[in-house]
Amino acid sequence: MPQAKGEHGTMTDSSLLARAAEIAQSVLAGDLRLGARLIRDLDDQTVLAELILRQLWPHTGRAFILGVTGNPGAGKSTVVDSLIAYYRKAGKRVGVVAIDPSSPFSGGAILGDRIRMQRHALDDGVFIRSLASRGHLGGLSRSTGEIVAVLDAMGFEVVIIETVGVGQGEVDVVALADTKVVVTVPGLGDEVQAIKAGILEIADVLVVNKADREGADRTVRDLLTMLELRHVEEPHGPESPSSEVEIIRTVAVRGEGIGELAAAIARNQEKTAGLAAERRARRARRELRDALLDRCAQRVEQVLSRHADWVDQVQRREIDPYSIAERLLVELLGGTRL
Ligand SMILES: Nc1nc2c(ncn2[C@@H]2O[C@H](COP(=O)(O)OP(=O)(O)OP(=O)(O)O)[C@@H](O)[C@H]2O)c(=O)[nH]1
Ligand SMILES: [Mg+2]
């Protein structure tokens, strides 16, 4: 077991484990403050946080995970805010992970999303966490997965992941949600082209938000044409047969169309229930892969810092990096820990 950092630095392994078990129990019992703290500590990758997460793991896998993605500024947060209100009325507790691609510090993201979803700030049945995707190079999927796991263990029945569909990382994060909603708006010129390739393909439900604006009809028509073309091209499409993708118009700022959107989401959930096991298997595989890659990356850094001599040799062209990499692999994977 690695050494604990920070305030727990002097704790023995067994007292750290006991502390982890205690906190895990409180988080499972719904302690929001400890849940929030755990999410922050996971971001800092503390040993205690990981020990707690290990204890929570058996209690995860129950939440309905909803992915919301689409054009920047399309109104995703406003749609999510309205959906939160809808699910709260239905008595469901809702957790949200909003991923902000631009801000280097999560401070920016937290501010923007808090303002958008402010009315839920005092509701114990709502938990909103923003995550800056910058600074999570390659680890975005792991970080999001961990937060979703905590919210799931805390008993939030619906967990919404909001992310701008700009980078492959962001798309990947949403791709494994139970139901994927893609939000677009009229007036972007060619809407279908304006959405990054690859995003429309994952949509289970398409939303034309800002339907109060000029051109909503045309956008709906364009999307329909696109869906029909796709249906012709791949009649036996994968998980979401194109013909079954619904298009919903919303004016999220006024809450219009949100009931219809929630109904479309519920229909998709029902329709794809038979595929849930397959989806969960894919998610489990990625969770394991993320955890593995993360540890490999850490160990690579450790090994490299112990072997400055290797770096020197490569720099002097005495040995090539490929041979060293092979040796490194042996050191990493041949160790007794695996
Ligand atoms: N006219 C109109 N404006 C809307 C509607 N929904 C959202 N907006 C406005 O669009 C702007 C962007 O809304 P957000 O909800 O922050 O959009 P977003 O997609 O989450 O934005 P990013 O996360 O920054 O990509 C805000 O000023 C909203 O008030 C709508 O239905 N009609
Ligand atoms: Mg947003």
Side-chain angles (χ1 to χ4, degrees):
M1 163 116 17
Q3 275 296 301
K5 284 187 243 166
E7 66 191 275
H8 308 290
T10 55
M11 277 190 171
T12 62
D13 284 356
S14 65
S15 67
L16 199 60
L17 270 175
R19 177 104 187 93
E22 198 182 307
I23 297 173
Q25 281 311 316
S26 303
V27 170
L28 285 172
D31 188 321
L32 291 172
R33 197 184 55 84
L34 281 179
R37 166 104 193 258
L38 170 60
I39 288 172
R40 275 198 305 277
D41 288 351
L42 281 169
D43 218 20
D44 294 337
Q45 298 192 291
T46 71
V47 173
L48 179 65
E50 185 182 308
L51 289 176
I52 300 167
L53 191 59
R54 290 189 202 182
Q55 308 244 7
L56 294 181
W57 194 255
H59 305 275
T60 62
R62 294 173 299 182
F64 170 64
I65 302 174
L66 179 68
V68 177
T69 189
N71 305 103
K76 298 176 296 295
S77 297
T78 314
V79 167
V80 170
D81 174 75
S82 301
L83 281 174
I84 295 172
Y86 180 92
Y87 288 126
R88 288 303 291 143
K89 262 192 205 140
K92 291 186 175 145
R93 297 171 67 226
V94 187
V96 179
V97 189
I99 298 161
D100 183 336
S102 53
S103 102
F105 312 103
S106 53
I110 286 167
L111 197 62
D113 293 316
R114 283 240 175 107
I115 288 168
R116 207 73 71 218
M117 305 177 199
Q118 201 170 30
R119 61 175 159 152
H120 304 291
L122 295 175
D123 181 351
D124 273 357
V126 178
F127 188 104
I128 299 166
R129 164 74 197 192
S130 294
L131 188 66
S133 64
R134 224 201 274 173
H136 285 262
L137 287 171
L140 184 63
S141 155
R142 178 188 52 76
S143 302
T144 311
E146 286 176 356
I147 299 174
V148 170
V150 174
L151 296 176
D152 187 351
M154 288 171 84
F156 288 96
E157 289 112 331
V158 180
V159 176
I160 304 177
I161 304 172
E162 176 198 327
T163 174
V164 186
V166 287
Q168 194 53 46
E170 281 94 9
V171 176
D172 287 347
V173 165
V174 168
L176 292 187
D178 292 308
T179 295
K180 280 87 62 187
V181 172
V182 174
V183 184
T184 188
V185 288
L188 294 177
D190 189 341
E191 284 77 15
V192 178
Q193 293 302 317
I195 308 183
K196 192 180 177 293
I199 296 184
L200 279 176
E201 280 71 16
I202 66 164
D204 297 305
V205 180
L206 284 166
V207 170
V208 177
N209 187 42
K210 308 196 186 183
D212 51 326
R213 284 193 184 168
E214 195 91 12
D217 290 340
R218 205 201 115 190
T219 306
V220 171
R221 268 201 315 275
D222 287 353
L223 290 172
L224 270 172
T225 309
M226 183 274 306
L227 289 177
E228 276 160 22
L229 283 176
R230 204 168 79 184
H231 193 51
V232 172
E233 279 166 15
E234 27 167 336
H236 309 292
E239 195 172 303
S240 319
S242 337
S243 57
E244 296 183 20
V245 175
E246 293 189 50
I247 303 177
I248 309 287
R249 291 165 202 241
T250 58
V251 184
V253 268
R254 300 204 291 259
E256 289 173 24
I258 297 303
E260 288 81 351
L261 172 58
I265 292 168
R267 276 192 294 275
N268 178 263
Q269 192 181 359
E270 185 117 325
K271 235 166 29 194
T272 63
L275 297 162
E278 192 187 309
R279 215 160 35 221
R280 273 157 206 268
R282 256 185 290 154
R283 208 142 62 204
R285 186 183 190 282
R286 195 175 69 180
E287 271 147 356
L288 178 55
R289 181 176 164 272
D290 286 347
L292 215 60
L293 286 178
D294 206 49
R295 275 162 185 69
C296 283
Q298 276 173 17
R299 304 251 344 248
V300 165
E301 288 304 329
Q302 286 165 7
V303 172
L304 281 180
S305 57
R306 279 205 305 274
H307 287 284
D309 53 320
W310 288 359
V311 179
D312 286 345
Q313 285 173 306
V314 171
Q315 191 186 357
R316 289 197 299 268
R317 298 318 192 246
E318 289 166 10
I319 188 161
D320 64 279
Y322 316 104
S323 309
I324 300 249
E326 279 300 325
R327 265 157 70 186
L328 189 63
L329 256 189
V330 170
E331 174 150 353
L332 283 174
L333 301 177
T336 47
R337 280 221 202 130
L338 201 74

